[in-house]
Amino acid sequence: MAILIWIAIYPTVTIIAMLLGEHFEKIKPLPLQTLASTLIVVPIAVFAVVPALQKALGSWLSK
């Protein structure tokens, strides 16, 4: 399951950073920048990406 989560989180973080990186750079200090990005990334991963991956990789996960 940890691999599945990593497969979901890494591309999601990368895409959000590419799309919104300029805006996040304006947020100071760094902990607030991280908070803002995780407020976007975590719901996307939990409610969209992870369920889609579980469905796509279900047979692999059940081994």
Side-chain angles (χ1 to χ4, degrees):
M1 190 60 118
I3 293 170
L4 180 87
I5 304 259
W6 182 82
I7 292 170
I9 293 293
Y10 178 75
T12 306
V13 167
T14 303
I15 290 167
I16 295 300
M18 287 176 11
L19 294 175
L20 302 174
E22 295 176 15
H23 302 290
F24 288 142
E25 289 175 1
K26 297 174 186 173
I27 301 171
K28 302 293 180 203
L30 181 61
L32 290 179
Q33 186 178 21
T34 306
L35 175 65
S37 64
T38 58
L39 283 173
I40 296 169
V41 169
V42 170
I44 291 170
V46 169
F47 296 114
V49 181
V50 170
L53 286 172
Q54 285 176 323
K55 189 174 184 178
L57 302 175
S59 62
W60 177 72
L61 290 171
S62 63
K63 288 183 181 184

Short mmCIF file of all heavy atoms in Angstrom, two decimals:
data_model
loop_
_atom_site.label_atom_id
_atom_site.label_comp_id
_atom_site.label_asym_id
_atom_site.label_seq_id
_atom_site.Cartn_x
_atom_site.Cartn_y
_atom_site.Cartn_z
N MET A 1 0.81 -1.19 0.00
CA MET A 1 0.00 0.00 0.00
C MET A 1 0.86 1.26 0.00
O MET A 1 0.46 2.26 -0.58
CB MET A 1 -0.93 -0.03 1.22
CG MET A 1 -1.97 1.04 1.18
SD MET A 1 -3.06 0.96 -0.22
CE MET A 1 -4.60 0.72 0.55
N ALA A 2 2.01 1.20 0.64
CA ALA A 2 2.90 2.36 0.67
C ALA A 2 3.35 2.72 -0.74
O ALA A 2 3.45 3.92 -1.08
CB ALA A 2 4.11 2.09 1.56
N ILE A 3 3.60 1.73 -1.57
CA ILE A 3 4.01 2.00 -2.95
C ILE A 3 2.87 2.67 -3.71
O ILE A 3 3.09 3.62 -4.46
CB ILE A 3 4.45 0.70 -3.65
CG1 ILE A 3 5.73 0.16 -3.02
CG2 ILE A 3 4.63 0.92 -5.14
CD1 ILE A 3 6.11 -1.23 -3.47
N LEU A 4 1.66 2.21 -3.50
CA LEU A 4 0.49 2.81 -4.15
C LEU A 4 0.34 4.28 -3.75
O LEU A 4 0.11 5.14 -4.61
CB LEU A 4 -0.78 2.04 -3.77
CG LEU A 4 -2.05 2.59 -4.39
CD1 LEU A 4 -2.26 1.98 -5.76
CD2 LEU A 4 -3.22 2.32 -3.50
N ILE A 5 0.50 4.57 -2.48
CA ILE A 5 0.40 5.96 -2.00
C ILE A 5 1.49 6.81 -2.63
O ILE A 5 1.24 7.93 -3.06
CB ILE A 5 0.49 6.00 -0.46
CG1 ILE A 5 -0.57 5.12 0.15
CG2 ILE A 5 0.48 7.43 0.05
CD1 ILE A 5 -1.79 5.73 0.68
N TRP A 6 2.70 6.27 -2.68
CA TRP A 6 3.80 7.02 -3.30
C TRP A 6 3.51 7.28 -4.77
O TRP A 6 3.74 8.38 -5.26
CB TRP A 6 5.13 6.26 -3.14
CG TRP A 6 6.26 7.03 -3.72
CD1 TRP A 6 6.96 8.04 -3.13
CD2 TRP A 6 6.81 6.88 -5.03
NE1 TRP A 6 7.91 8.52 -4.00
CE2 TRP A 6 7.84 7.82 -5.17
CE3 TRP A 6 6.52 6.04 -6.10
CZ2 TRP A 6 8.58 7.95 -6.33
CZ3 TRP A 6 7.26 6.17 -7.25
CH2 TRP A 6 8.27 7.11 -7.37
N ILE A 7 3.00 6.27 -5.47
CA ILE A 7 2.66 6.42 -6.88
C ILE A 7 1.58 7.49 -7.05
O ILE A 7 1.55 8.20 -8.06
CB ILE A 7 2.21 5.07 -7.50
CG1 ILE A 7 3.38 4.11 -7.57
CG2 ILE A 7 1.59 5.26 -8.87
CD1 ILE A 7 2.98 2.67 -7.93
N ALA A 8 0.71 7.64 -6.09
CA ALA A 8 -0.34 8.67 -6.15
C ALA A 8 0.20 10.05 -5.79
O ALA A 8 -0.12 11.04 -6.46
CB ALA A 8 -1.48 8.31 -5.21
N ILE A 9 1.01 10.12 -4.75
CA ILE A 9 1.45 11.42 -4.23
C ILE A 9 2.50 12.09 -5.12
O ILE A 9 2.41 13.29 -5.39
CB ILE A 9 2.00 11.26 -2.79
CG1 ILE A 9 0.88 10.88 -1.83
CG2 ILE A 9 2.71 12.52 -2.30
CD1 ILE A 9 -0.17 11.94 -1.61
N TYR A 10 3.50 11.35 -5.55
CA TYR A 10 4.60 11.96 -6.31
C TYR A 10 4.12 12.72 -7.55
O TYR A 10 4.45 13.91 -7.70
CB TYR A 10 5.65 10.91 -6.67
CG TYR A 10 6.79 11.50 -7.47
CD1 TYR A 10 7.74 12.29 -6.86
CD2 TYR A 10 6.88 11.29 -8.84
CE1 TYR A 10 8.77 12.86 -7.59
CE2 TYR A 10 7.89 11.85 -9.57
CZ TYR A 10 8.84 12.63 -8.96
OH TYR A 10 9.85 13.18 -9.68
N PRO A 11 3.36 12.10 -8.45
CA PRO A 11 2.93 12.87 -9.61
C PRO A 11 1.96 14.00 -9.27
O PRO A 11 1.98 15.06 -9.90
CB PRO A 11 2.24 11.85 -10.52
CG PRO A 11 2.24 10.57 -9.81
CD PRO A 11 2.98 10.71 -8.53
N THR A 12 1.14 13.80 -8.24
CA THR A 12 0.21 14.85 -7.84
C THR A 12 0.97 16.07 -7.33
O THR A 12 0.67 17.20 -7.72
CB THR A 12 -0.77 14.33 -6.77
OG1 THR A 12 -1.41 13.15 -7.26
CG2 THR A 12 -1.82 15.37 -6.43
N VAL A 13 1.95 15.85 -6.49
CA VAL A 13 2.77 16.95 -5.98
C VAL A 13 3.51 17.64 -7.12
O VAL A 13 3.57 18.88 -7.19
CB VAL A 13 3.78 16.44 -4.92
CG1 VAL A 13 4.84 17.48 -4.61
CG2 VAL A 13 3.06 16.01 -3.67
N THR A 14 4.04 16.86 -8.04
CA THR A 14 4.79 17.42 -9.17
C THR A 14 3.89 18.28 -10.04
O THR A 14 4.27 19.40 -10.42
CB THR A 14 5.42 16.29 -9.99
OG1 THR A 14 6.27 15.51 -9.14
CG2 THR A 14 6.25 16.85 -11.14
N ILE A 15 2.70 17.80 -10.35
CA ILE A 15 1.78 18.55 -11.21
C ILE A 15 1.33 19.84 -10.53
O ILE A 15 1.32 20.90 -11.15
CB ILE A 15 0.57 17.67 -11.61
CG1 ILE A 15 1.04 16.57 -12.57
CG2 ILE A 15 -0.54 18.51 -12.23
CD1 ILE A 15 0.02 15.47 -12.79
N ILE A 16 0.98 19.75 -9.25
CA ILE A 16 0.55 20.94 -8.52
C ILE A 16 1.70 21.95 -8.44
O ILE A 16 1.49 23.16 -8.60
CB ILE A 16 0.03 20.58 -7.11
CG1 ILE A 16 -1.24 19.74 -7.22
CG2 ILE A 16 -0.19 21.81 -6.26
CD1 ILE A 16 -2.40 20.40 -7.93
N ALA A 17 2.92 21.48 -8.23
CA ALA A 17 4.07 22.38 -8.18
C ALA A 17 4.30 23.06 -9.53
O ALA A 17 4.61 24.26 -9.58
CB ALA A 17 5.33 21.62 -7.75
N MET A 18 4.12 22.31 -10.61
CA MET A 18 4.29 22.91 -11.94
C MET A 18 3.21 23.94 -12.22
O MET A 18 3.48 24.99 -12.80
CB MET A 18 4.27 21.82 -13.01
CG MET A 18 5.51 20.98 -13.04
SD MET A 18 5.55 19.58 -14.20
CE MET A 18 4.17 19.76 -15.25
N LEU A 19 1.98 23.66 -11.81
CA LEU A 19 0.87 24.56 -12.09
C LEU A 19 0.82 25.78 -11.17
O LEU A 19 0.48 26.87 -11.61
CB LEU A 19 -0.46 23.79 -11.98
CG LEU A 19 -0.71 22.69 -13.01
CD1 LEU A 19 -2.00 21.95 -12.68
CD2 LEU A 19 -0.77 23.28 -14.41
N LEU A 20 1.14 25.57 -9.90
CA LEU A 20 0.95 26.62 -8.91
C LEU A 20 2.23 27.06 -8.20
O LEU A 20 2.16 27.81 -7.23
CB LEU A 20 -0.08 26.16 -7.86
CG LEU A 20 -1.45 25.79 -8.40
CD1 LEU A 20 -2.32 25.21 -7.28
CD2 LEU A 20 -2.13 26.97 -9.05
N GLY A 21 3.36 26.57 -8.67
CA GLY A 21 4.63 26.86 -8.01
C GLY A 21 4.91 28.33 -7.81
O GLY A 21 5.39 28.75 -6.75
N GLU A 22 4.61 29.13 -8.80
CA GLU A 22 4.85 30.58 -8.69
C GLU A 22 4.06 31.18 -7.53
O GLU A 22 4.56 32.05 -6.81
CB GLU A 22 4.43 31.29 -9.98
CG GLU A 22 5.22 30.94 -11.19
CD GLU A 22 4.65 31.61 -12.44
OE1 GLU A 22 3.83 32.54 -12.31
OE2 GLU A 22 5.04 31.20 -13.54
N HIS A 23 2.84 30.73 -7.37
CA HIS A 23 2.00 31.25 -6.30
C HIS A 23 2.48 30.79 -4.93
O HIS A 23 2.44 31.56 -3.97
CB HIS A 23 0.54 30.84 -6.52
CG HIS A 23 -0.01 31.30 -7.82
ND1 HIS A 23 -0.27 32.63 -8.10
CD2 HIS A 23 -0.33 30.63 -8.95
CE1 HIS A 23 -0.74 32.76 -9.32
NE2 HIS A 23 -0.78 31.54 -9.87
N PHE A 24 2.92 29.54 -4.85
CA PHE A 24 3.41 29.02 -3.57
C PHE A 24 4.69 29.72 -3.15
O PHE A 24 4.93 29.89 -1.96
CB PHE A 24 3.64 27.51 -3.64
CG PHE A 24 2.37 26.69 -3.69
CD1 PHE A 24 2.29 25.57 -4.47
CD2 PHE A 24 1.27 27.05 -2.95
CE1 PHE A 24 1.13 24.81 -4.52
CE2 PHE A 24 0.10 26.31 -2.99
CZ PHE A 24 0.03 25.18 -3.78
N GLU A 25 5.53 30.11 -4.11
CA GLU A 25 6.79 30.78 -3.77
C GLU A 25 6.55 32.10 -3.06
O GLU A 25 7.40 32.57 -2.31
CB GLU A 25 7.62 31.00 -5.03
CG GLU A 25 8.20 29.74 -5.60
CD GLU A 25 8.92 29.97 -6.92
OE1 GLU A 25 9.00 31.13 -7.38
OE2 GLU A 25 9.42 28.98 -7.49
N LYS A 26 5.40 32.71 -3.27
CA LYS A 26 5.08 34.00 -2.65
C LYS A 26 4.68 33.85 -1.19
O LYS A 26 4.69 34.82 -0.44
CB LYS A 26 3.94 34.68 -3.42
CG LYS A 26 4.30 35.02 -4.84
CD LYS A 26 3.09 35.55 -5.58
CE LYS A 26 3.43 35.74 -7.06
NZ LYS A 26 2.24 36.08 -7.85
N ILE A 27 4.33 32.63 -0.80
CA ILE A 27 3.89 32.38 0.58
C ILE A 27 5.12 32.19 1.46
O ILE A 27 5.96 31.35 1.20
CB ILE A 27 2.98 31.13 0.66
CG1 ILE A 27 1.76 31.30 -0.23
CG2 ILE A 27 2.59 30.85 2.10
CD1 ILE A 27 0.92 30.04 -0.37
N LYS A 28 5.21 32.98 2.49
CA LYS A 28 6.32 32.88 3.45
C LYS A 28 5.72 32.79 4.84
O LYS A 28 4.69 33.40 5.11
CB LYS A 28 7.23 34.11 3.36
CG LYS A 28 7.84 34.35 2.00
CD LYS A 28 8.81 33.26 1.62
CE LYS A 28 9.38 33.60 0.23
NZ LYS A 28 9.88 32.50 -0.48
N PRO A 29 6.28 32.04 5.73
CA PRO A 29 7.44 31.17 5.69
C PRO A 29 7.12 29.82 5.04
O PRO A 29 5.97 29.53 4.71
CB PRO A 29 7.80 30.99 7.16
CG PRO A 29 6.51 31.13 7.88
CD PRO A 29 5.69 32.13 7.07
N LEU A 30 8.15 29.03 4.91
CA LEU A 30 8.04 27.72 4.26
C LEU A 30 6.95 26.82 4.85
O LEU A 30 6.24 26.17 4.09
CB LEU A 30 9.39 27.01 4.25
CG LEU A 30 9.42 25.64 3.58
CD1 LEU A 30 9.03 25.75 2.11
CD2 LEU A 30 10.79 25.01 3.73
N PRO A 31 6.78 26.77 6.18
CA PRO A 31 5.71 25.90 6.70
C PRO A 31 4.31 26.29 6.17
O PRO A 31 3.49 25.41 5.94
CB PRO A 31 5.80 26.10 8.22
CG PRO A 31 7.23 26.41 8.45
CD PRO A 31 7.63 27.26 7.28
N LEU A 32 4.06 27.55 5.94
CA LEU A 32 2.77 27.96 5.37
C LEU A 32 2.67 27.56 3.90
O LEU A 32 1.60 27.20 3.42
CB LEU A 32 2.56 29.46 5.53
CG LEU A 32 2.31 29.95 6.95
CD1 LEU A 32 2.15 31.47 6.97
CD2 LEU A 32 1.10 29.28 7.56
N GLN A 33 3.79 27.62 3.21
CA GLN A 33 3.84 27.18 1.81
C GLN A 33 3.52 25.68 1.73
O GLN A 33 2.73 25.25 0.90
CB GLN A 33 5.24 27.47 1.26
CG GLN A 33 5.41 27.22 -0.19
CD GLN A 33 6.83 27.57 -0.64
OE1 GLN A 33 7.76 27.63 0.16
NE2 GLN A 33 6.99 27.81 -1.91
N THR A 34 4.12 24.92 2.61
CA THR A 34 3.86 23.48 2.65
C THR A 34 2.41 23.20 3.03
O THR A 34 1.77 22.32 2.45
CB THR A 34 4.81 22.81 3.66
OG1 THR A 34 6.16 23.14 3.33
CG2 THR A 34 4.65 21.30 3.65
N LEU A 35 1.88 23.94 3.98
CA LEU A 35 0.48 23.79 4.37
C LEU A 35 -0.44 24.04 3.17
O LEU A 35 -1.36 23.25 2.91
CB LEU A 35 0.13 24.75 5.51
CG LEU A 35 -1.33 24.77 5.94
CD1 LEU A 35 -1.73 23.43 6.54
CD2 LEU A 35 -1.58 25.90 6.91
N ALA A 36 -0.20 25.10 2.44
CA ALA A 36 -1.04 25.43 1.29
C ALA A 36 -0.99 24.32 0.24
O ALA A 36 -2.02 23.93 -0.31
CB ALA A 36 -0.61 26.76 0.69
N SER A 37 0.20 23.83 -0.05
CA SER A 37 0.30 22.79 -1.07
C SER A 37 -0.34 21.48 -0.62
O SER A 37 -1.02 20.81 -1.40
CB SER A 37 1.76 22.56 -1.48
OG SER A 37 2.52 22.08 -0.41
N THR A 38 -0.18 21.13 0.64
CA THR A 38 -0.78 19.87 1.11
C THR A 38 -2.29 19.97 1.21
O THR A 38 -2.99 18.97 1.08
CB THR A 38 -0.18 19.42 2.45
OG1 THR A 38 -0.37 20.44 3.44
CG2 THR A 38 1.28 19.07 2.31
N LEU A 39 -2.82 21.18 1.43
CA LEU A 39 -4.27 21.36 1.45
C LEU A 39 -4.88 21.05 0.08
O LEU A 39 -6.05 20.70 -0.02
CB LEU A 39 -4.63 22.78 1.87
CG LEU A 39 -4.53 23.08 3.36
CD1 LEU A 39 -4.73 24.57 3.62
CD2 LEU A 39 -5.53 22.27 4.15
N ILE A 40 -4.08 21.17 -0.96
CA ILE A 40 -4.54 20.87 -2.32
C ILE A 40 -4.23 19.42 -2.68
O ILE A 40 -5.08 18.69 -3.19
CB ILE A 40 -3.89 21.82 -3.34
CG1 ILE A 40 -4.36 23.25 -3.06
CG2 ILE A 40 -4.19 21.41 -4.76
CD1 ILE A 40 -3.60 24.32 -3.81
N VAL A 41 -3.02 18.98 -2.40
CA VAL A 41 -2.55 17.66 -2.84
C VAL A 41 -3.26 16.51 -2.13
O VAL A 41 -3.67 15.54 -2.77
CB VAL A 41 -1.02 17.54 -2.66
CG1 VAL A 41 -0.56 16.11 -2.85
CG2 VAL A 41 -0.31 18.46 -3.63
N VAL A 42 -3.41 16.59 -0.82
CA VAL A 42 -3.96 15.46 -0.06
C VAL A 42 -5.39 15.11 -0.47
O VAL A 42 -5.67 13.94 -0.75
CB VAL A 42 -3.83 15.70 1.46
CG1 VAL A 42 -4.60 14.66 2.26
CG2 VAL A 42 -2.36 15.70 1.87
N PRO A 43 -6.30 16.06 -0.57
CA PRO A 43 -7.65 15.68 -1.02
C PRO A 43 -7.69 15.09 -2.44
O PRO A 43 -8.43 14.14 -2.69
CB PRO A 43 -8.45 16.99 -0.96
CG PRO A 43 -7.71 17.84 -0.01
CD PRO A 43 -6.28 17.47 -0.15
N ILE A 44 -6.88 15.65 -3.33
CA ILE A 44 -6.82 15.10 -4.69
C ILE A 44 -6.36 13.65 -4.65
O ILE A 44 -6.94 12.77 -5.29
CB ILE A 44 -5.91 15.95 -5.60
CG1 ILE A 44 -6.53 17.31 -5.86
CG2 ILE A 44 -5.62 15.24 -6.91
CD1 ILE A 44 -5.60 18.30 -6.54
N ALA A 45 -5.31 13.41 -3.88
CA ALA A 45 -4.77 12.05 -3.79
C ALA A 45 -5.75 11.10 -3.12
O ALA A 45 -6.00 10.00 -3.61
CB ALA A 45 -3.44 12.07 -3.04
N VAL A 46 -6.34 11.51 -2.00
CA VAL A 46 -7.20 10.63 -1.22
C VAL A 46 -8.51 10.31 -1.92
O VAL A 46 -8.97 9.17 -1.91
CB VAL A 46 -7.46 11.24 0.18
CG1 VAL A 46 -8.56 10.50 0.91
CG2 VAL A 46 -6.19 11.24 1.00
N PHE A 47 -9.11 11.32 -2.55
CA PHE A 47 -10.43 11.13 -3.11
C PHE A 47 -10.46 10.82 -4.61
O PHE A 47 -11.49 10.38 -5.12
CB PHE A 47 -11.32 12.35 -2.83
CG PHE A 47 -11.56 12.55 -1.37
CD1 PHE A 47 -11.06 13.67 -0.71
CD2 PHE A 47 -12.27 11.62 -0.62
CE1 PHE A 47 -11.28 13.86 0.64
CE2 PHE A 47 -12.49 11.80 0.74
CZ PHE A 47 -11.99 12.93 1.37
N ALA A 48 -9.34 11.03 -5.30
CA ALA A 48 -9.35 10.78 -6.74
C ALA A 48 -8.26 9.79 -7.17
O ALA A 48 -8.55 8.76 -7.77
CB ALA A 48 -9.19 12.09 -7.50
N VAL A 49 -7.02 10.12 -6.87
CA VAL A 49 -5.90 9.34 -7.43
C VAL A 49 -5.80 7.96 -6.79
O VAL A 49 -5.70 6.96 -7.50
CB VAL A 49 -4.57 10.13 -7.32
CG1 VAL A 49 -3.43 9.32 -7.92
CG2 VAL A 49 -4.69 11.48 -8.00
N VAL A 50 -5.80 7.88 -5.47
CA VAL A 50 -5.66 6.57 -4.80
C VAL A 50 -6.81 5.63 -5.17
O VAL A 50 -6.55 4.46 -5.53
CB VAL A 50 -5.49 6.72 -3.28
CG1 VAL A 50 -5.60 5.37 -2.58
CG2 VAL A 50 -4.16 7.38 -2.95
N PRO A 51 -8.07 6.07 -5.13
CA PRO A 51 -9.13 5.14 -5.54
C PRO A 51 -9.00 4.67 -6.99
O PRO A 51 -9.24 3.49 -7.29
CB PRO A 51 -10.42 5.95 -5.35
CG PRO A 51 -10.06 6.95 -4.31
CD PRO A 51 -8.64 7.29 -4.56
N ALA A 52 -8.58 5.55 -7.89
CA ALA A 52 -8.39 5.16 -9.28
C ALA A 52 -7.26 4.13 -9.40
O ALA A 52 -7.38 3.15 -10.15
CB ALA A 52 -8.08 6.38 -10.14
N LEU A 53 -6.19 4.34 -8.66
CA LEU A 53 -5.08 3.38 -8.69
C LEU A 53 -5.49 2.05 -8.06
O LEU A 53 -5.10 0.99 -8.55
CB LEU A 53 -3.86 3.95 -7.97
CG LEU A 53 -3.09 5.03 -8.71
CD1 LEU A 53 -2.02 5.65 -7.81
CD2 LEU A 53 -2.48 4.48 -9.98
N GLN A 54 -6.26 2.09 -6.99
CA GLN A 54 -6.73 0.84 -6.37
C GLN A 54 -7.59 0.04 -7.34
O GLN A 54 -7.48 -1.17 -7.41
CB GLN A 54 -7.53 1.14 -5.10
CG GLN A 54 -6.67 1.54 -3.94
CD GLN A 54 -7.48 1.94 -2.72
OE1 GLN A 54 -8.53 2.54 -2.83
NE2 GLN A 54 -6.97 1.59 -1.55
N LYS A 55 -8.41 0.73 -8.08
CA LYS A 55 -9.25 0.06 -9.06
C LYS A 55 -8.40 -0.52 -10.19
O LYS A 55 -8.58 -1.66 -10.61
CB LYS A 55 -10.28 1.04 -9.64
CG LYS A 55 -11.31 0.41 -10.50
CD LYS A 55 -12.37 1.42 -10.90
CE LYS A 55 -13.46 0.76 -11.68
NZ LYS A 55 -14.53 1.70 -12.05
N ALA A 56 -7.45 0.26 -10.68
CA ALA A 56 -6.60 -0.17 -11.79
C ALA A 56 -5.63 -1.28 -11.39
O ALA A 56 -5.33 -2.16 -12.19
CB ALA A 56 -5.82 1.02 -12.34
N LEU A 57 -5.15 -1.23 -10.16
CA LEU A 57 -4.13 -2.20 -9.70
C LEU A 57 -4.68 -3.19 -8.69
O LEU A 57 -3.92 -3.84 -7.98
CB LEU A 57 -2.95 -1.43 -9.08
CG LEU A 57 -2.26 -0.41 -9.98
CD1 LEU A 57 -1.20 0.36 -9.20
CD2 LEU A 57 -1.64 -1.08 -11.18
N GLY A 58 -5.99 -3.35 -8.65
CA GLY A 58 -6.63 -4.21 -7.66
C GLY A 58 -6.10 -5.62 -7.61
O GLY A 58 -5.84 -6.18 -6.56
N SER A 59 -5.91 -6.23 -8.78
CA SER A 59 -5.42 -7.60 -8.79
C SER A 59 -3.99 -7.70 -8.26
O SER A 59 -3.64 -8.65 -7.57
CB SER A 59 -5.49 -8.18 -10.20
OG SER A 59 -4.67 -7.45 -11.08
N TRP A 60 -3.17 -6.71 -8.56
CA TRP A 60 -1.81 -6.69 -8.06
C TRP A 60 -1.78 -6.48 -6.55
O TRP A 60 -0.99 -7.09 -5.84
CB TRP A 60 -1.00 -5.59 -8.77
CG TRP A 60 0.40 -5.46 -8.27
CD1 TRP A 60 1.43 -6.32 -8.48
CD2 TRP A 60 0.92 -4.39 -7.48
NE1 TRP A 60 2.57 -5.85 -7.88
CE2 TRP A 60 2.28 -4.65 -7.24
CE3 TRP A 60 0.37 -3.22 -6.94
CZ2 TRP A 60 3.09 -3.81 -6.52
CZ3 TRP A 60 1.19 -2.39 -6.21
CH2 TRP A 60 2.52 -2.68 -5.99
N LEU A 61 -2.68 -5.63 -6.05
CA LEU A 61 -2.71 -5.34 -4.62
C LEU A 61 -3.18 -6.53 -3.79
O LEU A 61 -2.79 -6.68 -2.63
CB LEU A 61 -3.63 -4.14 -4.34
CG LEU A 61 -3.13 -2.79 -4.81
CD1 LEU A 61 -4.23 -1.75 -4.67
CD2 LEU A 61 -1.89 -2.38 -4.04
N SER A 62 -4.02 -7.36 -4.37
CA SER A 62 -4.57 -8.48 -3.59
C SER A 62 -3.63 -9.68 -3.53
O SER A 62 -3.95 -10.67 -2.89
CB SER A 62 -5.91 -8.90 -4.19
OG SER A 62 -5.74 -9.37 -5.52
N LYS A 63 -2.48 -9.62 -4.18
CA LYS A 63 -1.52 -10.73 -4.14
C LYS A 63 -0.74 -10.73 -2.85
O LYS A 63 -0.52 -9.83 -2.19
CB LYS A 63 -0.55 -10.63 -5.31
CG LYS A 63 -1.22 -10.98 -6.62
CD LYS A 63 -0.23 -10.94 -7.73
CE LYS A 63 -0.94 -11.26 -9.03
NZ LYS A 63 -0.05 -11.33 -10.14
#
